[in-house]
Amino acid sequence: VQRCPVRDEEWVCPAHAGVQRPVQGIHRQQHPAKTRAVETAAAAKAPDAEVKDAAIAILCEWPTTDALADVTALAKTGATPREKILALRGIIRLTPLQNVPAQQKRASLKDVLPLVERDDEKRLLLSALAAIPTTESLALVTPHLGNKDLKEEASLAAVAIAEKVGGAHPAEVVAAMTEVTQATANKRTARQAASLLDQARKAAPKK
C-alpha cells in the first residue's frame, strides 16, 4: 500500500498491488502535487529495479498534468516496451486535461503519433482527439477510418468532432462525414454522420 500522489490516503497501484517499499518517502502530505510528481519522476530513475518499476507505474497514472513532461520524456527514452506503453497512455490521458488552447493539445498528441504502434493505444488516442474539437484533430482521426480494426472508434471520434466544428468548417465536415458513412457498420453512427453531412452540405458555400 502506498500513499496517493495527490491525496494523503492509502492507494494501491494496480500494477504493483502488494508492493509496499518502493516509493516510501515520496508522497508527503505537506508537498504540493507538482513537488510530489517531481520526486516520483526522480524515483523512476532509481537503480533499484523494484523502486523504479513502481515509481514509473505511479508516474504514468498521475492524476494531474504536473507529471506530463516527465511522462513524455519516458515515452521517448523508456528502457522497455512496457515503460513506453505506460508513458504513452499517460500522455494520451493527461494531454486533454491541460489548461492550454485546443490547438496546443492537438499538437502534443500529434507529436506522439509516431510512437503509437498498438491498436489499444490508438483507440485511446482517438478518444482523446474526440475531446479536442478542431479541424486538425479531425484530420488526424480520418486516416484511421480505413483501418478495419479501428474504423468504429475513428467514426465515433470523427462524429464527435464534427458536431462541434461543423458550423464553422462545413467543407471539412462534408469530407469527413462522407468517409464515415462509408466506413462505419454501426447504424446509429451512420445516422449521426448522415445528419451532420446533410447539415454541412447546406451550410457550405455555394459554388
Side-chain angles (χ1 to χ4, degrees):
V1 178
Q2 302 156 3
R3 310 305 293 181
C4 173
V6 174
R7 300 178 301 277
D8 188 33
E9 60 187 37
E10 290 187 346
W11 182 70
V12 178
C13 173
H16 298 275
V19 177
Q20 298 184 22
R21 182 176 63 82
V23 290
Q24 289 177 355
I26 292 176
H27 308 315
R28 298 172 183 164
Q29 186 177 14
Q30 66 270 30
H31 289 334
K34 186 171 184 178
T35 301
R36 291 199 296 274
V38 170
E39 292 178 344
T40 305
K45 301 174 184 178
D48 185 307
E50 189 180 17
V51 172
K52 178 182 178 180
D53 200 33
I56 285 174
I58 293 173
L59 187 67
C60 293
E61 294 174 0
W62 205 262
T64 69
T65 58
D66 299 300
L68 186 54
D70 291 300
V71 172
T72 300
L74 182 63
K76 299 175 181 178
T77 63
T80 67
R82 176 182 174 277
E83 290 179 10
K84 292 180 179 179
I85 288 171
L86 287 175
L88 283 172
R89 291 186 170 206
I91 294 169
I92 294 167
R93 178 177 54 81
L94 291 174
T95 295
L97 302 180
Q98 295 180 96
N99 186 23
V100 297
Q103 296 289 6
Q104 187 173 333
K105 296 177 185 180
R106 191 271 316 164
S108 295
L109 291 177
K110 184 179 180 181
D111 287 344
V112 301
L113 264 177
L115 305 176
V116 180
E117 299 177 351
R118 305 194 321 162
D119 283 350
D120 285 348
E121 284 68 53
K122 289 179 182 179
R123 290 187 180 94
L124 294 175
L125 183 63
L126 289 168
S127 180
L129 287 168
I132 306 172
T134 68
T135 54
E136 290 82 2
S137 294
L138 191 59
L140 293 178
V141 166
T142 51
H144 298 286
L145 292 169
N147 184 325
K148 65 182 179 61
D149 296 319
L150 297 172
K151 65 180 183 179
E152 296 305 337
E153 290 86 351
S155 294
L156 286 173
V159 165
I161 296 169
E163 288 177 337
K164 300 289 180 63
V165 305
H169 303 280
E172 289 86 346
V173 168
V174 166
M177 292 304 98
T178 298
E179 290 189 55
V180 171
T181 57
Q182 296 169 351
T184 185
N186 184 291
K187 292 182 179 179
R188 180 181 179 183
T189 304
R191 286 196 300 269
Q192 290 176 309
S195 176
L196 290 166
L197 177 58
D198 183 58
Q199 294 172 33
R201 281 174 171 164
K202 291 177 179 177
K206 304 300 180 182
K207 294 183 179 179

